[in-house]
Amino acid sequence: MTDTLNDIALAMVEDGQGILAADESTGTIKKRFDQIGLANEEENRRAYREMLFTTDEAMKQYISGVILFDETLRQSTKDGRRFADVIRDAGAVPGIKVDKSAKELAGFPGEKITEGLDGLRERLQEYHGLGARFAKWRAVIDIADGLPTRGALAANAHALARYAALCQENGIVPIVEPEVVMDGPNASHDIDRCYDVTELTLNMVFDELYAQRVDLPGMILKPNMVVPGQHGPKADAQTVAEMTLKVLKATVPPAVPGIAFLSGGQSDEAATEHLAIMNKIGGLPWKLTFSYGRALQQAAIKAWGGKPENVAAAQSAFTHRARMNSRAATGIWRPEDEREAA
Ligand code: 13P
């Protein structure tokens, strides 16, 4: 029997599990490899992803889905098993980033529009054939004086909704990701400003999803948490959790099965703690979990350092973070858990 979009979405937010965002483009993974002094070559990118996807405990117990980049969906382990099959055999859903990244928006200095709608139907059909069952599209919303504008928000919300409708037409669950960024060029705003911009963004996105006839039970929302800009006045973890829940309750219909946060530049532990507090508060109409890139991978990539002899150490670093976030997804994580042996 074929899974419905809602079946797939529910599997992506299964209790105590979350999504590994390993969809760094070739340009973004270069930034990560630069930190460990590793050349950005296809074989290194493949070896790094093999290390992650063959981490048994993490993949089987804590990870419900993996977002891949186009190149990665076409790659295999050293012994010839396609990554999509490795992920599926571990009980997780393979997914694919389909946007073509954020470019300058004409007429709106300092603002971006995510591209990639042209030819998307055909690409989705191919990705489905390669095993992908969900997709991701990220809109980038920067906060600065007078920004974002309604014009830029409307363009991004419309593109997200057109993308989501095309995914569903092709049997693929869309992850709808409107990211109000915390580490943009300015990033000195406070948490209240992040709240207001996130509220406006999510309202405009859900208006467009409705207008484009997107089926809410067949999608996942991937939002930012409500946090101050990187250089803005700090906020404590309880405040972040409460304000994030407040904005989500005000804007996200209960028909959406799950919300999987991005980490967005938060420290590994902050991303875990915020998610844990929200789930501890509980009583929510949707599942609340993680779809972290940096906050799941940072420790692992450092431990790996591009060396085959470090694969086991890297896999235990990845397992540790995945386990911590799994506990956060059910609200049972405590700060002292961080000291557990990896
Ligand atoms: P971060 O968790 O590093 O923000 O990445 C998640 C992601 O997929 C961004 O698009």
Side-chain angles (χ1 to χ4, degrees):
M1 215 183 74
T2 352
D3 288 335
T4 65
L5 292 171
N6 182 239
D7 292 336
I8 300 167
L10 288 172
M12 290 163 67
V13 292
E14 197 177 319
D15 270 339
Q17 299 202 16
I19 297 165
L20 166 65
D23 59 324
E24 297 85 0
S25 63
T26 307
T28 302
I29 199 76
K30 179 181 185 311
K31 292 189 214 157
R32 313 283 184 260
F33 282 3
D34 282 350
Q35 292 168 348
I36 55 168
L38 187 68
N40 187 20
E41 291 162 1
E42 179 173 357
E43 174 50 23
N44 288 337
R45 294 192 292 272
R46 195 206 58 75
Y48 175 61
R49 267 67 182 246
E50 175 167 348
M51 179 278 290
L52 290 174
F53 307 156
T54 57
T55 302
D56 209 54
E57 180 185 331
M59 291 297 299
K60 286 191 175 142
Q61 297 186 38
Y62 315 129
I63 299 297
S64 53
V66 182
I67 319 175
L68 303 168
F69 184 58
D70 180 278
E71 174 186 270
T72 322
L73 182 60
R74 302 171 195 280
Q75 288 173 326
S76 303
T77 58
K78 198 112 198 145
D79 60 12
R81 289 181 304 143
R82 295 184 58 245
F83 282 153
D85 294 334
V86 172
I87 292 164
R88 214 201 38 225
D89 291 347
V93 187
I96 178 81
K97 182 226 297 288
V98 301
D99 69 65
K100 297 217 157 175
S101 90
K103 311 281 164 60
E104 310 275 289
L105 178 62
F108 292 80
E111 296 193 283
K112 297 200 173 85
I113 180 70
T114 300
E115 295 188 347
L117 287 173
D118 289 354
L120 182 56
R121 172 177 284 128
E122 292 72 22
R123 287 197 291 132
L124 287 166
Q125 288 162 356
E126 191 204 356
Y127 289 141
H128 193 279
L130 290 169
R133 289 296 176 271
F134 73 90
K136 179 191 109 170
W137 178 292
R138 171 175 176 255
V140 179
I141 313 297
D142 263 324
I143 298 180
D145 267 356
L147 301 186
T149 61
R150 271 195 176 256
L153 285 174
N156 276 291
H158 182 76
L160 273 167
R162 292 269 317 280
Y163 140 82
L166 278 164
C167 284
Q168 292 188 335
E169 180 198 80
N170 291 286
I172 288 185
V173 169
I175 290 187
V176 173
E177 181 180 5
E179 178 177 3
V180 177
V181 301
M182 62 180 283
D183 58 357
N186 190 303
S188 58
H189 56 274
D190 64 14
I191 192 168
D192 292 321
R193 180 102 166 95
C194 179
Y195 182 97
D196 290 343
V197 172
T198 303
E199 181 182 47
L200 177 60
T201 301
L202 290 175
N203 275 320
M204 291 181 74
V205 166
F206 278 99
D207 274 357
E208 280 291 336
L209 291 171
Y210 182 66
Q212 294 303 320
R213 303 182 173 171
V214 173
D215 178 50
L216 299 185
M219 66 161 273
I220 297 291
L221 179 70
K222 177 163 174 167
N224 53 284
M225 294 184 196
V226 176
V227 289
Q230 204 170 32
H231 310 300
K234 305 282 169 246
D236 61 51
Q238 189 70 29
T239 307
V240 169
E242 286 172 8
M243 288 181 74
T244 303
L245 286 183
K246 186 174 170 204
V247 84
L248 294 174
K249 285 182 185 166
T251 57
V252 184
V256 172
I259 297 176
F261 293 103
L262 56 94
S263 61
Q266 301 182 46
S267 73
D268 295 358
E269 216 172 306
T272 303
E273 184 179 16
H274 294 151
L275 180 62
I277 298 173
M278 286 188 251
N279 277 308
K280 207 166 172 183
I281 295 170
L284 307 168
W286 354 258
K287 292 286 194 60
L288 222 54
T289 189
F290 56 92
S291 174
Y292 294 160
R294 284 162 284 180
L296 271 173
Q297 294 183 54
Q298 249 147 202
I301 201 167
K302 258 198 175 144
W304 180 59
K307 301 196 173 79
E309 62 270 28
N310 293 338
V311 163
Q315 291 188 326
S316 53
F318 172 43
T319 302
H320 179 70
R321 282 275 36 97
R323 195 191 299 135
M324 294 301 106
N325 285 308
S326 160
R327 289 184 195 167
T330 48
I332 60 168
W333 174 90
R334 298 158 312 157
E336 55 269 32
D337 294 353
E338 290 291 336
R339 293 195 296 274
E340 258 174 36

